[in-house]
C-alpha cells in the first residue's frame, strides 16, 4: 500500500484536553474556516510559505507509539488542526493503521469539508469505521452569524452531525462561549434543541473564549477583530452550561 504523506503543523505528546485520557495529538496544516477567535491561526494556510512537517501515516504512528505506555486504557491518538478532513486520504491510512495496532482514535474537527458528494462521502464513511470518537464544534447555530464568525456556512456541518447520529458514531459536542457573539440565551437554546435531535452525543462542553492566541495573529500580520472581547464570567459560563445541558 502506498503511504500518503500528511502535511502537519505540530505534535503534542501529552494532550489532556483532546479526547479521553492522555492523547498523542497531531495538528494538521490547513483550514478553510476563518474563525475570529482561532488560537491556531498558524494552521490556516493550505500552502504556507514556511516549511511544515511532512510524514507518512506509518511514520506518524511509529512516532506516536513511543508514548503508548502513558495512554492507559482510555488514551490514544487525536488528529486535530487545522482541519484534518482536508487531508482525508492521510487520515484514513493513519486511523486504519492505528486500529490494526489496537490504538484508540479521536478526530477533532469542525466538519467544514463534509459533503455527500463523491469521492469525499465514500472516504468519510470508510473513515467512520476506524474512528472511535469525533469531537466536533458547533461554532454558531445561526447560519448568518456562523458566516460572520467563520467565513463559511454551517449547513453542511449540521448535516454532518445529523448523519453521524444516524450512523451511531460517538460524538462530543463543543461550543466556544464568546461574550456578545455566541452566549445569547436564545441561540444557546436553539443549539440545545438541535443537540437534542442527535442520538449519539456522549458529552457536551462549553469552552470559554480566551485571547491567548492573539500573539500568533500579530506575528502573521492578520487583524484580530475580537481584541476588545473579554473572557466570559463564571456566571455566564454556568448559564450556558445549564442551557446546553437542559438544566435551564
Amino acid at each position: 500500500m502506498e503511504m500518503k504523506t500528511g502535511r502537519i503543523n505540530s505534535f503534542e505528546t501529552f494532550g489532556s484536553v483532546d479526547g479521553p485520557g492522555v492523547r498523542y495529538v497531531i495538528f494538521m496544516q490547513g483550514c478553510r474556516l476563518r474563525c475570529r477567535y482561532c488560537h491556531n491561526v498558524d494552521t490556516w494556510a493550505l500552502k504556507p510559505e514556511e516549511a511544515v512537517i511532512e510524514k507518512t501515516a506509518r511514520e506518524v504512528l511509529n512516532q506516536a507509539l513511543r508514548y503508548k505506555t502513558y495512554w492507559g486504557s482510555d488514551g490514544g491518538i487525536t488528529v486535530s488542526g487545522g482541519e484534518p478532513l482536508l487531508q482525508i486520504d492521510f487520515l484514513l491510512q493513519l486511523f486504519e493503521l492505528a486500529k490494526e495496532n489496537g490504538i484508540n482514535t479521536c478526530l477533532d474537527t469542525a466538519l467544514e469539508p463534509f459533503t455527500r458528494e463523491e469521492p469525499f462521502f465514500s472516504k468519510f464513511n470508510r473513515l467512520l469505521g476506524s474512528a472511535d470518537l469525533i469531537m466536533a464544534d458547533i461554532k454558531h447555530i445561526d447560519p448568518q452569524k456562523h458566516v460572520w464568525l467563520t467565513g463559511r456556512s454551517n449547513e453542511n456541518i449540521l448535516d454532518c452531525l445529523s448523519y453521524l447520529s444516524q450512523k451511531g458514531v460517538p460524538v462530543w459536542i463543543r461550543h466556544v462561549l464568546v461574550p456578545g457573539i455566541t452566549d445569547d440565551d436564545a441561540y444557546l437554546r436553539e443549539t440545545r434543541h438541535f443537540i437534542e435531535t442527535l442520538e449519539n452525543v456522549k458529552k457536551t462542553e462549553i469552552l470559554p473564549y480566551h485571547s491567548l492566541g492573539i500573539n500568533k495573529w500579530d506575528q502573521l500580520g492578520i487583524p484580530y477583530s475580537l481584541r476588545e472581547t473579554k473572557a466570559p464570567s463564571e456566571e455566564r459560563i454556568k448559564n450556558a452550561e445549564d442551557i446546553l445541558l437542559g438544566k435551564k
Side-chain angles (χ1 to χ4, degrees):
M1 178 176 63
E2 180 186 355
M3 284 287 104
K4 299 294 183 181
T5 298
R7 304 180 72 252
I8 300 162
N9 178 274
S10 59
F11 299 95
E12 183 177 350
T13 55
F14 292 95
S16 59
V17 294
D18 306 279
V22 175
R23 318 291 300 185
Y24 185 87
V25 189
I26 302 104
F27 294 93
M28 305 302 293
Q29 181 68 37
C31 185
R32 295 190 300 219
L33 291 178
R34 293 295 179 262
C35 301
R36 292 175 182 261
Y37 52 68
C38 181
H39 60 274
N40 286 334
V41 66
D42 52 319
T43 67
W44 279 3
L46 298 174
K47 296 181 179 179
E49 294 181 2
E50 65 275 10
V52 296
I53 303 164
E54 293 190 1
K55 289 183 178 291
T56 66
R58 191 174 299 280
E59 286 173 331
V60 170
L61 184 67
N62 288 341
Q63 188 170 305
L65 284 171
R66 301 173 192 169
Y67 302 90
K68 188 176 182 180
T69 55
Y70 299 99
W71 299 343
S73 58
D74 296 329
I77 66 170
T78 295
V79 183
S80 185
E83 175 48 67
L85 289 174
L86 290 177
Q87 300 188 61
I88 194 168
D89 292 328
F90 169 84
L91 189 58
L92 264 171
Q93 285 193 343
L94 178 60
F95 273 23
E96 289 178 351
L97 284 171
K99 298 319 294 179
E100 289 175 10
N101 285 269
I103 298 172
N104 181 277
T105 56
C106 175
L107 173 63
D108 181 2
T109 172
L111 301 175
E112 183 276 329
F114 178 77
T115 176
R116 294 179 186 249
E117 296 181 1
E118 298 294 355
F120 180 90
F121 193 53
S122 293
K123 293 178 180 179
F124 185 74
N125 277 302
R126 180 178 155 193
L127 178 67
L128 297 183
S130 56
D132 291 306
L133 174 68
I134 293 182
M135 298 172 65
D137 300 335
I138 297 181
K139 297 180 184 295
H140 208 299
I141 197 66
D142 180 83
Q144 293 183 333
K145 294 285 188 181
H146 193 279
V147 170
W148 179 86
L149 183 62
T150 72
R152 288 183 177 260
S153 170
N154 66 358
E155 292 180 9
N156 65 318
I157 294 170
L158 299 182
D159 180 42
C160 185
L161 286 168
S162 295
Y163 182 69
L164 291 172
S165 178
Q166 295 171 21
K167 300 292 285 186
V169 179
V171 166
W172 286 6
I173 297 288
R174 296 174 306 173
H175 180 69
V176 179
L177 193 69
V178 187
I181 300 174
T182 67
D183 69 338
D184 180 87
D185 285 7
Y187 288 136
L188 289 169
R189 290 193 178 94
E190 190 176 347
T191 302
R192 183 189 76 205
H193 293 328
F194 174 76
I195 293 173
E196 288 174 344
T197 68
L198 309 176
E199 299 180 356
N200 60 334
V201 178
K202 306 303 180 184
K203 187 176 183 180
T204 300
E205 291 183 299
I206 290 290
L207 304 180
Y209 165 80
H210 63 76
S211 58
L212 300 178
I214 288 182
N215 62 316
K216 292 183 180 180
W217 291 68
D218 292 342
Q219 290 170 8
L220 293 170
I222 305 174
Y224 189 76
S225 62
L226 303 184
R227 196 173 294 272
E228 302 304 318
T229 302
K230 306 298 182 183
S233 67
E234 291 298 324
E235 179 183 4
R236 292 304 295 169
I237 294 171
K238 185 178 186 306
N239 175 74
E241 290 175 343
D242 287 346
I243 291 176
L244 286 187
L245 296 178
K247 298 178 181 179
K248 187 175 183 179

